[in-house]
Amino acid sequence: MDKVSYIGNADVNAIDELYNSFKKDPESVDIGWKKFFEGFEFAQTNYEGGGVPENFQKEFKVINLIEGYRSRGHLFTKTNPVRERRKYSPTLAIENFGLSEEDWNTEFEAGNEIGIGRATLRAIVDHLEEAYCESIGIEFHYIRDPERKAWFMNKIELDNRPKFSIDDKKDIYQKLSEATLFEQFLQRKFVGQKRFSVEGGEALIAGLDRLVRKGASLGVEEFVMGMAHRGRLNTLVNIFDKDVEELFGEFEGKEFDDDDSFDGDVKYHLGQTRHIEVDGKKVQLTLAPNPSHLEAVDPVVEGIVRAKIDDYLKDENKIVPILVHGDAAIAAQGVVYEVIQMAQLQGYRTGGTIHIVVNNQVGFTTNYLDARSSTYCTDIGKTTLSPVFHVNGDDVEAVAQTFLIALEYRQQFNRDIFIDLLCYRKYGHNEGDEPKFTQPKLYKAIATHPNPREIYEAKLIQQGTIDQAHADAVSTNLNTRLETYFEAAKKQEKVNVTNFLGDLWKDFSRGKEEDFEYSPVTGVPEKRLLELGKKLATLPDDKKIFRKVQKLFQDRLNMLEHDNLDWGMAEMLAYATLLVEGHPVRISGQDVERGTFSHRHAVVKTEDDEEEIITLNLLEKEQAELSIYNSLLSEYGVLGFDYGYSLAQPNGLTIWEAQFGDFMNGAQIMIDQFISAGEDKWNIPSGLVMLLPHGYEGQGAEHSSARLERYLQSCGDLNMQIVNATTPGNHFHALRRQVKRNFRKPLVVFSPKMILRYPKAVSSLKELAEGGFQEVIDDPKGLHKTATTVVLCSGKAYYDFMEEAESRGVDNMAFVRVEQLYPLPKNQIDAILAKYKKAENIVWAQEEPENMGAWTFMAMNMRHIDLKCVSIPASAAPAAGAKEIHLRRVKKLYENLFQYAGEPAK
């Protein structure tokens, strides 16, 4: 017999067996049975002779009925405002639980289980219907934590739901009126313009207003929200207090008050931060900007929230992330799953997210039956055993209740919770779309359906809470105010797109072209480097460390002694110097603690108990912190999280590293819509660093190329920096440069694999101590007077070419390294080329196929010189899968390159 869930026709022996289990260990039975046994005192206490009473078997059938409502009541709710619900069987009819009409007036002790005491079956069922099958449905019975499960039963069943006073109801009506009349005003004034109205789901606005008010009373200082276009303008105006006059100017299509290079974005993508006061308490509200790519903003919001927690809030309960989803998107967009799986991970948790689904029951033109296989769009929440509310969007008080309970739950348990707000979309996908093409029956019903304000207004008038004069005054006042804003907007000449995190960025400037002519000095005195280097390479004596790790750290000490630093050591020194200078460093990605290629070992684990040791956090007392986390196996979600983190932590170094650079295209949306274009669209800078291992070493098409060409194609307006460095020292300076200038740009580093340990790819302490990042590095052999060919190249290929040149005895070719490809240092390149007076050929050489790598970018940007290309032939795949093919292509590449050398030197 299953002691956890006894379902079906109970018999006395089974009951006795269950009771015996309870007596041995009360925790061995389900919480419902435990409560029943405790409250009922079983036969030994309440019944003479200690036997099982005649009605006792039915008591358990009533318990089964109660459990049925708790686990399946959500299937039989009145939560759909415009459609009949699908039918599910078996139903909750009492006959399905072994009871009959004869039992309606029988009193059962099982009433204690739901907090109403001994009660008739009719009273028990009425209570359960009201709790589980009216405007609110709830899924929580799968939760395995008894405390959380009991919390929900208490909130739902024991009459502890939020109650609303007359003033509360008037406030809810006011907010619902603001949402409704705002949309109606836009429909009259801007006919046919896209606005993605919230009509049909206006209760969202009233619910959010209640949530923010409640949050202030619970000590929440900030809310950060991400949402798509549906209802966004309404949310901006009526929750985030956006300037309505400015919004009307955006509807007029007026140009942006910025320089000509600024592109901006459509009005329903823009972000906002506002400081409001609720009952004397200050609350900051932030809405992140987002693209049309649904759900893409989710991880960005989580990253922003985590950065604020780490930086200054230090408490998850002081900030709440809210994600507003669409029903079609939450069910189908994979990034939602990635974000949900982050919720309780050490490196990504934010204390729980409130997920609100504006469930229009249609995705553009796709019916919900074609949009998912699951019963509900929110079923993904069950992945992490998160509770789910389903609520009727026409019942605004029920909506407000669920929002309030959701916030309380989040603050109590710091876990995710979902609200499925079932509503409808009054118009098509946008206001110019015709929905009757694809949903004629649904839109016939919607056409005659009263809106939530009308429904609530009638209810309040019937209750005597307001009268018609009050309702009319609300309408008149709101429309008058909107009309005033509308007239004022006509006088505007331009509109502004401000940084939605402006308070955090007020001390930073925007990078200009002249800022990229040369890099700033980022060197650190040798004495300081030695001091920090010894500390980061020294493990505690009292810990048992794996022998190979001990050797690696001893090797680092030897590097300092012999003044010969490899890539990993230079990188660790970059972090160390930044940390002691007060710049926090966050690194995340797959396998970053050790490093994919075992070069980093920033986290060391003791051999006996796997205690983590991070020597970079043991440098000095007042240093900033290194936070480094192996991520879940995700690119899209994790890169989005770290991008969001970088937005809210401009003083720190935020790094995302790909396991191999090839895998970065799993996050292509994040790269295209946010990282490369975020500043140009939304005026929000980012200092995010992406480390993408790149290099052709015969490992096949998925372990060779980080797709350099794609990034270079996206470069413009000084939007990001593309680096393919060749020395540990230059990598050191690139990382330090990222936080040592007064502006921020994303930095994409095509990081090495082979040259992590290549004997010639080393740097001295002097290289780290002096100067800064070198955008271009001239050939060190000093061939200015003799070279007849100058080869421009980048990254690991430089060492391949140099090695081959040495083996061939070539001494009339100079190899000039372009360490930074964007912004392209044209002046520096030209100045170096000018030194080679006898150069007859200038060649761009690369290991990538001709249609990939940097060739087309260089050809486009160096049109003023006769630049030739040497590469492997254009290819569909980035690299060959067989080692022999790879070597054959490399051999041909060398032949083509060294034909420019002419006769070998004697």
Side-chain angles (χ1 to χ4, degrees):
M1 177 189 140
D2 183 354
K3 64 186 179 184
V4 176
S5 56
Y6 177 76
I7 306 279
N9 293 321
D11 58 42
V12 174
N13 291 332
I15 295 168
D16 283 340
E17 184 180 337
L18 188 63
Y19 180 62
N20 288 333
S21 297
F22 167 76
K23 293 298 286 183
K24 291 176 183 176
D25 179 9
E27 302 302 324
S28 68
V29 298
D30 182 77
I31 188 170
W33 293 107
K34 180 185 174 188
K35 277 187 169 184
F36 179 77
F37 284 134
E38 290 172 344
F40 195 70
E41 295 290 340
F42 203 33
Q44 293 179 340
T45 304
N46 291 334
Y47 294 90
E48 294 181 8
V52 177
E54 180 182 351
N55 205 41
F56 193 69
Q57 189 172 352
K58 284 192 176 180
E59 290 279 3
F60 276 86
K61 292 178 180 180
V62 177
I63 286 287
N64 287 340
L65 175 65
I66 292 171
E67 294 299 290
Y69 271 91
R70 288 170 173 166
S71 60
R72 300 182 68 245
H74 58 87
L75 297 172
F76 307 100
T77 56
K78 303 176 182 69
T79 48
N80 200 319
V82 290
R83 275 181 167 144
E84 286 293 321
R85 289 215 58 180
R86 286 182 279 181
K87 305 300 181 185
Y88 298 94
S89 62
T91 68
L92 297 174
I94 59 173
E95 290 78 8
N96 291 325
F97 294 86
L99 300 164
S100 69
E101 291 187 5
E102 296 176 357
D103 301 310
W104 277 122
N105 295 319
T106 303
E107 291 188 345
F108 292 95
E109 295 289 341
N112 289 298
E113 170 66 11
I114 56 174
I116 63 174
R118 182 178 174 87
T120 64
L121 178 61
R122 189 180 301 278
I124 291 170
V125 169
D126 287 346
H127 183 90
L128 291 170
E129 283 286 326
E130 185 178 358
Y132 289 106
C133 297
E134 290 295 324
S135 292
I136 299 173
I138 179 169
E139 296 182 89
F140 73 99
H141 213 53
Y142 44 76
I143 295 175
R144 296 167 189 160
D145 176 8
E147 183 185 359
R148 289 195 288 137
K149 202 169 180 180
W151 189 91
F152 266 108
M153 287 191 289
N154 182 60
K155 282 290 178 184
I156 297 299
E157 294 173 1
L158 302 187
D159 207 27
N160 285 338
R161 294 188 187 184
K163 303 293 189 300
F164 299 116
S165 66
I166 289 176
D167 287 341
D168 289 335
K169 293 180 179 184
K170 288 181 178 179
D171 286 343
I172 291 171
Y173 175 73
Q174 175 70 27
K175 191 55 68 172
L176 194 60
S177 297
E178 291 173 7
T180 304
L181 298 175
F182 173 75
E183 296 290 1
Q184 292 174 354
F185 187 87
L186 293 180
Q187 181 69 5
R188 292 195 304 272
K189 297 296 186 180
F190 304 102
V191 180
Q193 278 211 46
K194 286 184 183 181
R195 56 189 166 90
F196 300 101
S197 83
V198 78
E199 287 168 279
E202 294 94 330
L204 169 72
I205 306 302
L208 287 172
D209 180 62
R210 289 281 111 186
L211 189 148
V212 170
R213 289 168 180 257
K214 181 68 173 179
S217 72
L218 295 177
V220 177
E221 297 177 6
E222 296 191 37
F223 289 92
V224 182
M225 184 186 298
M227 70 182 300
H229 40 276
R230 178 77 53 214
R232 188 182 183 92
L233 297 181
N234 209 310
T235 303
L236 278 166
V237 168
N238 291 310
I239 300 298
F240 287 82
D241 196 28
K242 180 179 173 71
D243 188 325
V244 182
E245 181 182 326
E246 185 174 279
L247 176 65
F248 289 163
E250 292 168 6
F251 267 100
E252 297 286 356
K254 294 177 180 178
E255 65 176 304
F256 301 112
D257 188 13
D258 214 304
D259 61 51
D260 289 339
S261 68
F262 180 70
D263 287 317
D265 205 350
V266 293
K267 52 191 171 291
Y268 40 81
H269 286 172
L270 302 179
Q272 182 95 9
T273 288
R274 278 288 186 269
H275 300 270
I276 65 170
E277 193 168 297
V278 181
D279 299 328
K281 297 178 180 178
K282 293 181 180 179
V283 180
Q284 180 176 296
L285 306 178
T286 297
L287 178 64
N290 68 282
S292 288
H293 296 63
L294 299 176
E295 307 294 346
V297 76
D298 297 357
V300 178
V301 167
E302 302 294 346
I304 291 170
V305 171
R306 178 57 182 262
K308 287 171 174 279
I309 293 169
D310 288 349
D311 187 32
Y312 60 89
L313 290 172
K314 308 299 182 184
D315 183 350
E316 292 177 343
N317 279 353
K318 289 184 178 180
I319 186 169
V320 176
I322 302 172
L323 295 178
V324 182
H325 311 271
D327 52 308
I330 192 173
Q333 291 295 315
V335 70
V336 178
Y337 183 86
E338 296 182 32
V339 170
I340 288 172
Q341 284 288 15
M342 292 180 186
Q344 295 299 317
L345 300 182
Q346 181 188 3
Y348 307 91
R349 60 171 292 128
T350 55
T353 299
I354 298 175
H355 298 267
I356 303 168
V357 181
V358 179
N359 189 343
N360 299 311
Q361 308 181 59
V362 60
F364 204 148
T365 67
T366 302
N367 279 315
Y368 72 99
L369 292 172
D370 297 320
R372 61 180 183 268
S373 296
S374 59
T375 301
Y376 297 115
C377 61
T378 50
D379 280 347
I380 192 169
K382 296 172 188 174
T383 301
T384 50
L385 304 179
S386 299
V388 180
F389 280 113
H390 305 279
V391 60
N392 190 322
D394 275 355
D395 188 341
V396 65
E397 287 188 17
V399 171
Q401 282 185 331
T402 59
F403 278 48
L404 295 177
I405 296 172
L407 179 62
E408 290 179 33
Y409 173 83
R410 189 272 180 186
Q411 294 300 90
Q412 177 75 27
F413 297 106
N414 296 120
R415 298 182 72 95
D416 286 11
I417 186 167
F418 290 73
I419 300 171
D420 178 14
L421 175 58
L422 283 110
C423 50
Y424 56 91
R425 191 185 66 193
K426 183 174 181 180
Y427 303 103
H429 177 65
N430 60 63
E431 286 65 31
D433 191 37
E434 176 52 79
K436 289 182 179 178
F437 286 147
T438 50
Q439 282 82 29
K441 183 179 177 181
L442 174 62
Y443 275 86
K444 183 178 180 180
I446 290 173
T448 58
H449 190 77
N451 66 45
R453 179 181 183 249
E454 291 169 339
I455 293 170
Y456 194 51
E457 182 179 296
K459 178 181 177 180
L460 294 182
I461 291 174
Q462 184 181 24
Q463 290 176 347
T465 303
I466 64 171
D467 55 22
Q468 192 60 53
H470 177 95
D472 292 343
V474 169
S475 296
T476 300
N477 291 337
L478 288 174
N479 279 315
T480 299
R481 193 169 69 187
L482 291 169
E483 193 68 48
T484 302
Y485 290 135
F486 179 73
E487 291 301 320
K490 293 178 179 178
K491 301 172 185 177
Q492 280 187 344
E493 295 183 3
K494 295 183 178 182
V495 294
N496 291 304
V497 177
T498 56
N499 181 345
F500 80 107
L501 295 174
D503 288 351
L504 298 174
W505 290 87
K506 62 181 183 296
D507 296 327
F508 292 84
S509 60
R510 293 180 67 173
K512 299 180 177 62
E513 206 158 318
E514 53 268 27
D515 294 322
F516 292 94
E517 287 296 323
Y518 291 95
S519 289
V521 173
T522 49
V524 177
E526 283 190 44
K527 183 179 178 181
R528 186 65 162 146
L529 289 170
L530 279 168
E531 176 190 353
L532 294 172
K534 289 175 182 177
K535 287 181 178 180
L536 71 85
T538 301
L539 293 166
D541 293 330
D542 58 342
K543 303 293 182 182
K544 187 177 181 182
I545 308 295
F546 183 45
R547 182 171 50 82
K548 287 185 178 180
V549 173
Q550 289 180 330
K551 181 182 182 304
L552 287 167
F553 275 68
Q554 182 59 50
D555 289 345
R556 287 178 175 172
L557 291 172
N558 294 341
M559 291 178 201
L560 294 170
E561 184 179 347
H562 300 125
D563 199 12
N564 214 27
L565 310 179
D566 70 2
W567 202 277
M569 187 58 177
E571 181 185 310
M572 294 288 278
L573 280 168
Y575 302 145
T577 55
L578 290 173
L579 291 169
V580 298
E581 291 165 3
H583 300 284
V585 176
R586 174 188 167 92
I587 309 171
S588 119
Q590 294 158 30
D591 312 300
V592 296
E593 294 179 5
R594 189 201 75 176
T596 300
F597 311 102
S598 202
H599 81 287
R600 185 172 292 125
H601 292 279
V603 178
V604 173
K605 295 190 177 181
T606 57
E607 199 168 345
D608 45 5
D609 58 4
E610 294 192 357
E611 176 190 350
E612 292 189 349
I613 299 168
I614 302 176
T615 57
L616 282 169
N617 283 332
L618 304 174
L619 302 172
E620 294 179 355
K621 284 186 179 180
E622 301 301 319
Q623 70 168 85
E625 184 179 5
L626 170 73
S627 304
I628 183 165
Y629 304 104
N630 286 341
S631 75
L632 66 164
L633 196 63
S634 151
E635 285 81 34
Y636 189 174
V638 175
L639 179 58
F641 187 101
D642 287 327
Y643 170 77
Y645 196 100
S646 74
L647 299 183
Q649 179 48 287
N651 186 54
L653 183 68
T654 304
I655 297 174
W656 176 76
E657 182 176 58
Q659 189 183 67
F660 282 82
D662 313 65
F663 303 152
M664 64 82 201
N665 55 12
Q668 197 66 51
I669 289 174
M670 200 53 59
I671 296 162
D672 291 344
Q673 314 311 131
F674 290 89
I675 295 168
S676 68
E679 186 172 8
D680 191 36
K681 293 191 293 186
W682 308 315
N683 255 330
I684 176 68
S686 165
L688 178 70
V689 178
M690 296 173 63
L691 301 180
L692 307 178
H694 173 87
Y696 282 60
E697 298 163 11
Q699 294 190 52
E702 277 72 53
H703 295 83
S704 299
S705 176
R707 296 287 189 170
L708 175 60
E709 65 281 354
R710 293 185 180 175
Y711 291 90
L712 292 174
Q713 187 183 45
S714 298
C715 288
D717 297 326
L718 304 174
N719 61 333
M720 52 185 173
Q721 306 154 104
I722 310 298
V723 165
N724 195 8
T726 58
T727 72
N730 225 19
H731 184 59
F732 169 90
H733 289 295
L735 293 173
R736 285 184 51 78
R737 180 183 72 169
Q738 195 65 0
V739 293
K740 289 303 177 183
R741 294 182 296 197
N742 200 44
F743 62 89
R744 298 288 182 265
K745 298 284 181 180
L747 171 63
V748 183
V749 178
F750 289 79
S751 53
K753 295 177 289 186
M754 179 198 81
I755 63 175
L756 289 172
R757 296 175 180 83
Y758 189 65
K760 294 183 179 179
V762 292
S763 294
S764 65
L765 285 166
K766 183 178 181 182
E767 290 176 61
L768 278 60
E770 297 180 354
F773 179 76
Q774 295 175 274
E775 290 83 359
V776 188
I777 301 179
D778 198 358
D779 192 312
K781 298 191 297 295
L783 304 176
H784 296 147
K785 296 180 179 180
T786 58
T788 57
T789 296
V790 177
V791 179
L792 300 175
C793 58
S794 188
K796 163 254 183 189
Y798 164 77
Y799 292 102
D800 293 337
F801 298 153
M802 285 291 290
E803 196 172 279
E804 185 67 15
E806 290 173 8
S807 70
R808 291 171 178 254
V810 172
D811 60 3
N812 62 342
M813 294 182 81
F815 293 87
V816 176
R817 289 166 273 178
V818 182
E819 303 277 286
Q820 178 173 291
L821 289 156
Y822 189 83
L824 187 65
K826 290 184 187 178
N827 292 339
Q828 293 186 46
I829 294 172
D830 287 342
I832 288 175
L833 292 177
K835 297 177 181 179
Y836 292 92
K837 305 296 184 183
K838 295 185 177 181
E840 300 170 1
N841 301 296
I842 302 174
V843 177
W844 173 260
Q846 63 181 39
E847 58 184 348
E848 300 88 355
E850 188 176 16
N851 58 327
M852 302 178 192
W855 161 236
T856 53
F857 175 82
M858 292 298 294
M860 181 176 69
N861 285 278
M862 300 295 290
R863 291 186 177 120
H864 59 290
I865 63 175
D866 181 17
L867 186 64
K868 301 173 177 65
C869 176
V870 173
S871 68
I872 63 175
S875 173
K883 187 79 170 180
E884 287 189 9
I885 299 175
H886 166 72
L887 294 174
R888 185 168 69 243
R889 289 178 178 174
V890 170
K891 181 180 179 182
K892 181 65 175 176
L893 174 68
Y894 292 158
E895 290 173 359
N896 292 337
L897 177 61
F898 289 104
Q899 69 177 341
Y900 291 103
E903 291 295 320
K906 302 298 183 186

